[in-house]
Structure formats: C-alpha cells, structure tokens
Amino acid sequence: MLARFGVVLAVSLLLVQSAYAQPAPAGAGAAAYGTKGRMEAEGGLHLGYPLMSNNNGDYDIMFVGGFRYFVMDGLAVGGQLRVGYWGGPGGTLFQFVPGVEYNFKTGGNITPYVGAGLGFDYFSISQTVCFFGTCSTVSGSTTAFLLDFQGGVKFQLNPNMLIGVGLDIPLAFHDSTVAYLGVLGRFIYTF
C-alpha cells in the first residue's frame, strides 16, 4: 500500500509541476537554484517499509542530514547521513551514502530530481528474550554496503529555501539483500 501511495504521490507532483511551472524570476542568473558552484545543506525525515513480503510489522524511521555541491548546472555531488530506528525487531540504524543528484531545469519553482549513491549501512540490536522464566539478552550488529536510488520533486519557497518530497529505495547487502521503499521529506537551504 505504501508503494502505491508513493507512486501516486510522485505522479501527482509531476502533473502539478507541469501545470504550474513558471518562468524563473528576471535577473536570477548565476544565483538560480542548481547552477554550477552553488551548495546546499538539507535536513529531513525518511519513513521506509520493506519490499519483501515476509517482514511483518517491519519499518524504519530515520533523520537525514546532507550536503551537496553543484559541479555543473543541475548536477550535484555530496552525501547523506541517516540515523534512526528499525522497527520489527527494534534496533539502531545508521547509514552514510555519498552520491550524485541530477536536478532537471523546468524554468519554474518546481524541480524534479533523481539521485544515486553507494555507501554503508550499520544496524545494531539488543533485545531481552525470555523462555519459561529464564531471560537472556541477545545483541549483535552488522555492517553492509548500501546502494541507494532516489527521485522526487523540490519546491522553491524563496531564493535560498526549498522543500522536497521523494521516493527512496535503499538496498543493503547484508547476509541477504534488504530492500526498502521509503518516502523522504526534505528541507533544503542553498548558498
């Protein structure tokens, strides 16, 4: 259900973007969003649900921080740091994802984007398990490579502030591949 909602949201936002696209303000020139030499910092929230059907009650919620530098118009390099909670068994989740992002020029205040990154995923868990009155603590951690794909839309509020919403698919290569479909909300400041 979350996947269907995400697809409907992305298509709706793209349709709204095409209906309300406005030309860039006069004199925007080099100060326009996504131009070479600009930088951006972001904060956001990631809510994810597994793409595998055998994970009942599983989800993740992560706080996201990021930084990007536009090496050419529309193309930015940088990374995201994500820290959060993995539901289901419960545990701490930490991801670092350097990557690239391409922002499509529309001539208006709405900018569609796609991105990809390669980083790592760290997960730790500590639970108390009781069996016939005897309790013990089970703990462990694992680290894996993470391949991440993103796409969505950014809305420019003023020359330096944007908000964004998008879909995020992180693939973590632990003992078995773990894939999530996430919704990523972003607040972005450019300078």
Side-chain angles (χ1 to χ4, degrees):
M1 179 158 159
L2 182 61
R4 289 184 198 143
F5 172 75
V7 170
V8 168
L9 179 64
V11 169
S12 299
L13 290 173
L14 288 174
L15 290 174
V16 167
Q17 180 272 331
S18 63
Y20 290 104
Q22 300 172 3
Y33 176 72
T35 56
K36 181 179 178 180
R38 300 270 317 213
M39 293 180 267
E40 66 182 21
E42 75 170 315
L45 187 64
H46 178 276
L47 302 171
Y49 187 77
L51 293 173
M52 292 85 58
S53 61
N54 60 350
N55 289 330
N56 297 329
D58 207 357
Y59 66 94
D60 71 33
I61 181 169
M62 293 183 284
F63 294 100
V64 178
F67 182 82
R68 275 174 291 288
Y69 175 76
F70 285 89
V71 293
M72 57 187 277
D73 288 353
L75 182 65
V77 296
Q80 291 181 329
L81 180 64
R82 306 171 186 168
V83 179
Y85 176 77
W86 180 35
T92 303
L93 189 58
F94 176 84
Q95 296 176 345
F96 176 65
V97 188
V100 298
E101 181 179 282
Y102 186 78
N103 296 269
F104 298 92
K105 295 287 185 174
T106 61
N109 293 334
I110 299 175
T111 306
Y113 71 91
V114 293
L118 179 63
F120 72 90
D121 177 86
Y122 172 80
F123 171 73
S124 69
I125 186 171
S126 180
Q127 286 187 327
T128 301
V129 179
C130 295
F131 186 71
F132 292 115
T134 303
C135 296
S136 62
T137 300
V138 177
S139 62
S141 64
T142 180
T143 303
F145 284 108
L146 179 75
L147 184 59
D148 187 64
F149 300 100
Q150 294 182 14
V153 188
K154 298 176 185 176
F155 304 91
Q156 191 158 4
L157 303 175
N158 66 41
N160 294 85
M161 290 193 297
L162 295 93
I163 57 173
V165 64
L167 295 177
D168 179 41
I169 302 175
L171 303 167
F173 299 97
H174 294 276
D175 293 339
S176 62
T177 302
V178 179
Y180 275 73
L181 175 63
V183 175
L184 180 61
R186 308 165 88 176
F187 177 78
I188 301 165
Y189 181 77
T190 66
F191 49 97

